[in-house]
Every structure is written in C-alpha cells, then in structure tokens.
Amino acid sequence: MNDLKEKLNKVRARIGAACQSAGRSEDSATLLAVSKQQTADRIRKLFAAGQGHFGENYVQEALQKQKQLADLDITWHFIGPLQSNKTREVAQHFSWVQSADRPKLLQRLSDQRPPSLPPLNICLQVNIDLEPQKAGAHPGAVPELARLVSQLPGLKLRGLMAIPSVAAADQTGHSSFARMKQLFDGLRTEGLELDTLSMGMSADLEAAILAGSTMVRVGTDLFGARS
Ligand SMILES: *Cc1c(COP(=O)(O)O)cnc(C)c1O
C-alpha cells in the first residue's frame, strides 16, 4: 500500500511540475494508470490511494479484473490492440477507447454501445511516426475519422492518442509530440470538439506535457516493472 501510494505521489508530483513548467494549471493533465499485468488487488490499492482512471490492453484480462473490482467506481480505458471480434465486449465494459483507428471498428463500437450507457469516449490512435508494425491511423486519415466519430450516436469524440517511436523521441527531441499537438489543434480549428491529447508514458511524460499532452498513461512508474 505505502509503496504504491508513494509511487503515485511521485508521478503526481512530476505531472504537476511539468504542467507548471508549461505554464499550465497543475491539474491540466490527467493521469491514466496502465494496469496491464497487474492484479486486481494492486489496482484496488491504487484506487484506495486516490487513482480513478485505469487503462487495460487485453480484453479478457480486463474483464476478469473488472468483475473482481465491480464494487469500485473505476473509469476504465481500453488502450490495447482492438479487433472486430472484441468490439462488443469493449463497448459494453469500458468508458473510454483510445486505440480505435479505422471506420469499421468505430462503427461497430457505436452500434454495440448499450443505449443505457453514455456514449463511449473515443481517442483516435494515431501512428504518428508511420511505423509499419504499429497500430494507429495515418495522420492524413485522422480528420475524416474524427468527423466520423463526431457523427456516430454511440460515440463521443474526445481526442487523439499516440505512442511515438522510441527512436523518434531520442533523435528529434520528441518532435512526434509536437506533430500530434499540431494535428490536435488543426481538428479543433476545424470546429471539432476535442479536449484530450493522450500522449506520454513513464519515461517521457514531462516532454509530452510540455508539448501539450492532457493525459499521460503511466504503468511502470506507478506499479513497478512488468515481467
Ligand atoms: C503499457 C502502455 C503504457 C504504459 O507504459 P509504461 O512505460 O509502463 O509507463 C502506456 N500506453 C500504452 C498504450 C501501453 O500499452
């Protein structure tokens, strides 16, 4: 418990300091705790320490933990690889999806979102460094996808998500983050209502916040190294 709380406080302090350096209010970046491979018990402890948003990458693993944690008011984000045959479960059991990147998935998520629930919050995943093996939409395809999301009744467009390439971050001082910010601002200029730019992880959350991130996704520095 103390260990997790200490780590949470450290990450929160880093986020607050980065926001300050960027001339923003200290609470202008949300912390998403990435709990893949973590037990329900550890999630429960982090929740007790004050963390409310959790991100999961694998549907079956997430559903199992959600069952064990059904008594807690956790906001669940799906951030992992998304396939058509999993969209129904995702649409039923998550509040946010940050890894949708093509029309078919978005259409299915909208159709399968239970009407009893509020629209599913969507951050489109962008393959900002055009890596062949990585998920995410081509940056050039993002405006049309964003317009599609804004028109689907079961979805609510919230923003963009990216996992920049490590090489790009090392070589160009995080220009990937700057390009994401440009894309994000461009959509807003077009009149689309976005409020979430999800970028930055344990190693680079400061750089991401300086570039305009409003949500950082942190696993390792909250829970310790994954096996
Ligand atoms: C695992 C993961 C993270 C967290 O990465 P850490 O380096 O452990 O902080 C963030 N975002 C996504 C999409 C992930 O899969």
Side-chain angles (χ1 to χ4, degrees):
M1 174 71 189
N2 286 339
D3 172 51
L4 282 173
K5 185 154 180 95
E6 219 169 273
K7 286 191 159 77
L8 176 61
N9 287 340
K10 269 192 198 157
V11 170
R12 281 181 169 168
R14 285 173 60 193
I15 292 171
C19 286
Q20 250 183 350
S21 305
R24 294 160 43 181
S25 70
E26 283 198 24
D27 60 356
S28 63
T30 302
L31 173 59
L32 177 65
V34 176
S35 46
K36 62 183 171 218
Q37 291 183 33
Q38 305 299 333
T39 62
D41 187 52
R42 283 171 72 73
I43 296 172
R44 185 177 289 280
K45 286 178 175 147
L46 201 59
F47 180 86
Q51 176 61 30
H53 290 261
F54 287 84
E56 288 282 341
N57 291 60
Y58 306 102
V59 177
Q60 295 319 318
E61 178 189 335
L63 295 190
Q64 216 164 27
K65 287 187 253 182
Q66 287 176 348
K67 249 186 224 158
Q68 295 172 268
L69 298 167
D71 56 314
L72 306 183
D73 188 20
I74 288 177
T75 304
W76 292 102
H77 297 236
F78 188 75
I79 62 171
L82 186 54
Q83 292 138 9
S84 296
N85 63 355
K86 293 287 164 60
T87 50
R88 184 175 299 280
E89 282 164 315
V90 169
Q92 286 174 343
H93 295 283
F94 288 82
S95 297
W96 290 65
V97 173
Q98 301 199 19
S99 49
D101 58 4
R102 48 190 193 274
K104 184 183 170 192
L105 291 175
L106 294 162
Q107 186 71 55
R108 288 174 69 91
L109 289 170
S110 177
D111 292 346
Q112 295 168 342
R113 180 67 169 172
S116 57
L117 296 178
L120 186 59
N121 295 295
I122 299 289
C123 287
L124 293 167
Q125 184 172 351
V126 183
N127 188 354
I128 192 64
D129 293 312
L130 309 178
E131 296 169 274
Q133 305 307 329
K134 203 172 267 182
H138 187 285
V142 169
E144 197 175 326
L145 282 176
R147 287 191 287 271
L148 172 66
V149 174
S150 71
Q151 286 158 12
L152 289 171
L155 307 183
K156 182 169 172 56
L157 179 65
R158 297 300 296 267
L160 305 179
M161 182 275 248
I163 312 168
S165 86
V166 176
D170 289 347
Q171 287 163 19
T172 63
H174 296 282
S175 83
S176 317
F177 290 148
R179 280 178 280 118
M180 282 295 293
K181 172 69 168 154
Q182 275 183 351
L183 192 57
F184 180 76
D185 287 343
L187 297 174
R188 283 165 55 118
T189 303
E190 224 192 90
L192 291 162
E193 287 177 33
L194 309 173
D195 61 10
T196 305
L197 182 52
S198 173
M199 57 187 196
M201 311 196 291
S202 292
D204 57 11
L205 69 88
E206 283 87 357
I209 289 171
L210 276 174
S213 169
T214 71
M215 186 179 287
V216 293
R217 309 179 309 269
V218 179
T220 305
D221 283 1
L222 280 176
F223 289 108
R226 288 179 296 273
S227 55

